[in-house]
Amino acid sequence: METANGRLVNCKCKVDEKILKIELSFILDQRNKGYRKGKLTLVHSSCKIEETRMKYKEEKQNINQLRIPQKFTMDTSRKSVNRRLADKIAEEVSVLCFILTNPKKLDKARHIRDTWGRRCNYTLFINDEDHPTFPAISVGALTGYKHLWSKVRGTFKHIYNNYIDKVDWFLKADDDTYIILENLRYFLLGENPNEKIYFGKRFKTNYRQGYMSGGAGYVLSRASVKHLVEISFNNPKTCDPEFIEVPEDYALGKCLKNAAIKAGDSFDHLQRNRFMTFSLGYEMSLKSLPPWYKLYSFYPPRSGLDCCSDLPISFHYVVPHEIYLLEYAVYHLHAFGIGYWGSSFTDIDETIEKIKSHKLDNAPREIFNRICDSQQALASCRRGQRLSILSALYGRNSLEHCKLEKYSQNYSPQCYLKNVTKHFQEDCDNEEECLIQPVMRKLGDPCKDVPKYLEILYKCIS
């Protein structure tokens, strides 16, 4: 059987007046123009209806039963150094992963179990009910999206009762999240699990420190979980147990804010995200991202190869075949003769001590950021480092950036204040973090009624 767009082979049945339409995912050969994924409606005769149903069911089951090998051995000394370093860091940083799922999505959860879930020290699948064959448990919450906050609360109580003294960090993810545990452990190596802090993809809200996106995954220190269960959950005024139809990540963020548990920054030294709200393809294409994402991102999102850290921790909205694609790309795909910096270290213990002291990945580098005057922004450094403002410009010196369409016909883009660097140095130098908006409001208005932005250059120094 041939179509206008491509070819389908092995179609044995002829079309007659009794037909059955079945939608299958397939690959179209577009006459040597490459491949694309699509949907095709197959039409079969009634004589083969049952046979076709069974064959489709069998093929779908075979696809869902794909498995990644339990062990992958790299046979080069350079790569084995990388593995030894990752294994050594895994001895220093222990992580419990809990994945929220439901009975209809256990098939998705199984792909996580067979890939990145194996790399956690403990892996829990939180379902709406206990399952007889899949390692999923219920924490007594009601079913449905509007009860996710209750589900998360129940999970933290279960973790506290059974695992609190067994691991350092507790990671929450969804059943369509992909986590690179080695990068998470590397990021956490210099952090203190006995400090009240948590990390993730940071969103803006009506309280200053914001909250972490649930889908991208967030990770809490042991001290944070202890405080949450022992104190916050027992005080409805600071941590409302009756949040209904409120996103669980927002509800948790509010509880953590009220408990003075810090929302830590997780971007790398170039201010690129480590936790991703979307899949890699969406993150790279800024135009494909929904407007709400640009509005609520704590820091302005970037696109292209600059979208994401070289050491990303998570991707979200990942369908099963993308999970295996990432698994292959991260753990199997290598370019001959090229290795990350970790492959050059032979003294593993010395390397780990450098990472702990933030001397390896966080040497002082210049960080540039452009912030529209309508955006909330925070210049910040990691724990143990302080801001050093190098230069700042406020106003506008370009027709690009920050919505200037209606002015672009007859506006000359030379509208900015001079000598504003000293204002930011006075307010922000030697601080671990500095909220930008209050400083911008003190500067005055160089061009009334015209959208303006701040360009700031700074370093984080020990």
Side-chain angles (χ1 to χ4, degrees), residues 65-66 95 115 182 295 364:
Q65 287 179 346
L66 288 172
V95 181
T115 54
E182 291 82 357
L295 179 65

Side-chain angles (χ1 to χ4, degrees), residues 287-305:
K287 290 183 179 180
S288 67
L289 297 175
W292 65 261
Y293 177 71
K294 300 173 187 178
L295 179 65
Y296 287 104
S297 288
F298 206 87
Y299 300 101
R302 302 178 180 183
S303 59
L305 295 177

Side-chain angles (χ1 to χ4, degrees), residues 163-182:
Y163 299 96
I164 194 64
D165 294 322
K166 296 180 180 179
V167 293
D168 303 319
W169 298 89
F170 300 86
L171 171 75
K172 179 266 176 184
D174 285 348
D175 51 20
D176 56 354
T177 309
Y178 185 87
I179 304 290
I180 304 174
L181 262 296
E182 291 82 357

Side-chain angles (χ1 to χ4, degrees), residues 59-75:
E59 288 177 354
K60 185 177 179 181
Q61 187 175 8
N62 289 338
I63 292 172
N64 290 335
Q65 287 179 346
L66 288 172
R67 290 289 185 273
I68 295 296
Q70 292 296 308
K71 292 185 178 180
F72 178 70
T73 304
M74 292 176 286
D75 58 1

